Amino acid sequence: MSLSRYFPILDWGRSYNRSVLTNDLMAAVIVTIMLIPQSLAYALLAGLPPVVGLYASILPLVLYAIFGTSRTLAVGPVAVISLMTASAAGAVAAQGTAEYLEAAVTLAMLSGVMLAVLGLLRAGFLANLLSHPVISGFITASGILIATSQLKHILGIKAGGDNWPDMLGSLAAGIAQTNPWTLAIGIPATLFLFWVRKGGKPALQRLGLPPRAADMTAKAGPVAAVALTILAAVLLDLGDRGVNLVGGIPQGLPPFAVPSADLSLIEKLWVPALLISIIGFVESVSVAQTLAAKRRQRISPDQELIGLGAANIASAFSGGYPVTGGFARSAVNFDAGAETPAAGAFTAVGIALATLFLTPLLFSLPIATLAATIIVAVLSLVDLKTPGRLWRYSKADFAAHVATIGITLVAGVELGVIAGVAVGLLLYLWRASRPHAAIVGRVPETEHFRNVERHEVFTVPHVLSIRIDEALTYLNARWLEEYVLERVAEKPELRHVILMCSAVNEIDASGLESLEAINHRLEDGGIGLHLSEVKGPVMDRLKRTDFLEELHGKVYLSQNRAFDELVRDDGAPGLPQDHFIARGMI
């Protein structure tokens, strides 16, 4: 087995040259500038000291550069995972305690091990188990929760709550104690960040900057907000006016941390860690695939599991918390011209230099500025158009989407994910148990067969053609049996039933038993059962049973041939024994 299967760096590293190095370095500088305030803000969201966000943005990036397959994915703290970390760690320890930090570090370790093991087992298909409506609903609800949780920092009041109603009630109770100086920092910072996200680039272009330079400069808007509010805090002495500041941030490289081996703690954290792993993986793979498609590149979901697992394990041992690939920073990395994962490693160097030399400058940074950064970032995740689109397209997907939003807002992120997956699974099982089937007839002057309720088609009273549009499994076998027999009961002159199987990809044991039951019931009534357009793999399995020998009819290569032959049959009901395995059977 090639080492590059598990170490993609050996693949892209062979063609690394000075031109690629220049592009990666330029992208790293831009992402580093963006990542510093973002990492501090997301650590605050996770209920951790701000420096932990920086720690989680160093070694994880290096490990992903070695094991990851995306050329442009930027790994680090993200809003949703930070919220889930706060929820999980807050269930076992109080914020601000050593136990809380230990829980966050242990979450990163558990998540990393789970992801790595799933990668080694080649379980990348897990990304397909969460439907888009469920993921979209969860992210929308999480964005609302996150933005609401940060309003207390904008107002300068004490508030809390584990769900949206509690948060709103706590904010309403404390709003009378709003600190006007904090509000004077928080509202302008929020408005500026909203403006710079949409209007910064056009404004800079009007000043003469080229489009790409204007775009990159606008994306550094949070850095400008940080610098300006630090300056305001120093000049106006806002710390003495009740404005919460970041305060002292430890200077230096990440410490070596040891995740907890306490089995009782691990028992409490493994379920949240699994949810964090799945949500983080789905988000990361979605971003990576989107960006890879733009450059006609590809990623390996299985290896992405290993890459993200290694990144989280590295985060744990360097005092960080769970990380994944983030859309915003990955898009900036892509737009800035990053060509290989080395750009992420260079970004890690930039963050490390920041922890060594820049943290003293952040002492007077208002917490309200970090809260504004979070609010602006997460509100872009809130999608209020999807419910309307889903309602028009699929009521079942709409139900899964809305249920995920509602339960996440009311019961919290963990129950929201579980409920969303459960609702999606139940709806899938319900749909699978009632597959689509249609009575079909031949379109005149063609060999095509279409639904009699949708098209003008040719049919005859003694032949009933039923197209089955789903695999025949234990979920729908009984339904098919009842459907066929009900249709037969409506046609007393019937002599032949054709099951058109062009869309049947599988027939399991329960499906086979139902076909045998249908065959025997029709035989008792003097009616022949025929199959048409059976797929090769399905036919191979049928040949290993006695069904074809007992079939009171034929298996036809095409629906048109079956219809032509049976339309001309005007004899007595039923077929003789020598026709059971006759010409035309495949």
Side-chain angles (χ1 to χ4, degrees), residues 128-135 394-405 407 415-433 475:
N128 301 323
L129 297 183
L130 290 177
S131 68
H132 176 72
V134 168
I135 290 294
S394 169
K395 301 298 188 293
D397 286 335
F398 170 82
H401 181 78
V402 171
T404 303
I405 292 176
I407 295 174
L415 286 177
V417 176
I418 294 172
V421 173
V423 171
L425 180 60
L426 289 174
L427 290 172
Y428 169 78
L429 294 176
W430 181 80
R431 285 194 295 257
S433 69
L475 292 172

Side-chain angles (χ1 to χ4, degrees), residues 140 281 305 446 527 538:
T140 291
F281 174 59
L305 281 166
T446 74
I527 299 172
V538 176

Side-chain angles (χ1 to χ4, degrees), residues 151-464:
L151 290 177
K152 63 184 179 183
H153 299 301
I154 299 293
L155 299 172
I157 63 176
K158 291 183 178 180
D162 296 325
N163 55 58
W164 203 41
D166 288 349
M167 289 178 183
L168 293 176
S170 182
L171 287 170
I175 198 167
Q177 284 76 46
T178 298
N179 184 306
W181 291 98
T182 302
L183 198 63
I185 288 290
I187 289 182
T190 304
L191 294 176
F192 170 75
L193 291 173
F194 271 120
W195 172 82
V196 81
R197 177 180 285 263
K198 297 292 185 180
K201 179 181 176 180
L204 291 169
Q205 283 184 271
R206 286 194 294 270
L207 293 176
L209 263 68
R212 183 176 178 184
D215 186 44
M216 293 300 104
T217 304
K219 285 184 169 63
V223 177
V226 166
L228 291 172
T229 53
I230 288 176
L231 184 61
V234 172
L235 293 179
L236 299 175
D237 199 16
L238 295 182
D240 291 337
R241 300 178 186 272
V243 176
N244 291 325
L245 305 178
V246 168
I249 297 178
Q251 200 170 354
L253 295 175
F256 178 75
V258 180
S260 175
D262 183 353
L263 293 181
S264 63
L265 178 63
I266 292 174
E267 185 179 356
K268 295 175 183 176
L269 293 179
W270 77 268
V271 172
L274 179 61
L275 295 176
I276 287 172
S277 300
I278 294 174
I279 294 296
F281 174 59
V282 171
E283 179 178 354
S284 181
V285 167
S286 299
V287 174
Q289 288 176 334
T290 300
L291 296 179
K294 292 183 178 182
R295 292 184 180 175
R296 298 188 180 183
Q297 298 169 347
R298 62 176 297 274
I299 66 164
S300 167
D302 294 331
Q303 185 60 29
E304 282 299 292
L305 281 166
I306 295 176
L308 291 173
N312 276 280
I313 292 172
S315 183
F317 282 109
S318 58
Y321 69 102
V323 298
T324 192
F327 179 77
R329 73 174 67 97
S330 297
V332 171
N333 198 38
F334 179 90
D335 292 339
E339 295 192 34
T340 72
F346 297 145
T347 299
V349 173
I351 299 294
L353 292 174
T355 63
L356 284 171
F357 304 111
L358 298 182
T359 52
L361 300 177
L362 300 173
F363 182 92
S364 298
L365 174 61
I367 297 293
T369 304
L370 297 181
T373 302
I374 293 172
I375 290 172
V376 173
V378 300
L379 285 183
S380 66
L381 303 176
V382 177
D383 184 357
L384 300 179
K385 296 180 180 179
T386 293
R389 290 197 297 265
L390 289 176
W391 174 259
R392 292 189 295 270
Y393 184 75
S394 169
K395 301 298 188 293
D397 286 335
F398 170 82
H401 181 78
V402 171
T404 303
I405 292 176
I407 295 174
T408 301
L409 290 177
V410 173
V413 291
E414 292 176 11
L415 286 177
V417 176
I418 294 172
V421 173
V423 171
L425 180 60
L426 289 174
L427 290 172
Y428 169 78
L429 294 176
W430 181 80
R431 285 194 295 257
S433 69
R434 300 178 62 81
H436 182 266
I439 298 175
V440 297
R442 184 162 62 189
V443 179
E445 300 182 0
T446 74
E447 296 182 358
H448 300 295
F449 287 76
R450 295 292 185 268
N451 191 332
V452 297
E453 296 181 359
R454 293 176 176 271
H455 301 271
E456 294 292 334
V457 294
F458 172 68
T459 61
V460 291
H462 67 281
V463 178
L464 175 65

Side-chain angles (χ1 to χ4, degrees), residues 505-583:
N505 296 317
E506 180 186 7
I507 300 177
D508 70 3
S510 299
L512 177 62
E513 288 183 5
S514 281
L515 286 179
E516 291 171 341
I518 292 170
N519 180 54
H520 290 312
R521 293 284 295 275
L522 293 182
E523 182 180 7
D524 291 343
I527 299 172
L529 174 65
H530 312 270
L531 306 181
S532 73
E533 301 187 10
V534 182
K535 293 188 175 181
V538 176
M539 194 66 197
D540 291 341
R541 295 180 67 177
L542 291 179
K543 286 179 179 178
R544 296 197 291 268
T545 71
D546 297 330
F547 175 70
L548 297 180
E549 295 178 4
E550 297 176 357
L551 181 64
H552 195 61
K554 297 182 181 181
V555 180
Y556 291 90
L557 184 63
S558 73
Q559 173 67 18
N560 187 61
R561 181 175 179 179
F563 189 72
D564 271 348
E565 182 172 317
L566 298 175
V567 163
R568 291 194 296 269
D569 174 41
D570 56 358
L575 295 172
Q577 178 68 27
D578 60 357
H579 280 207
F580 283 2
I581 306 176
R583 178 168 52 88

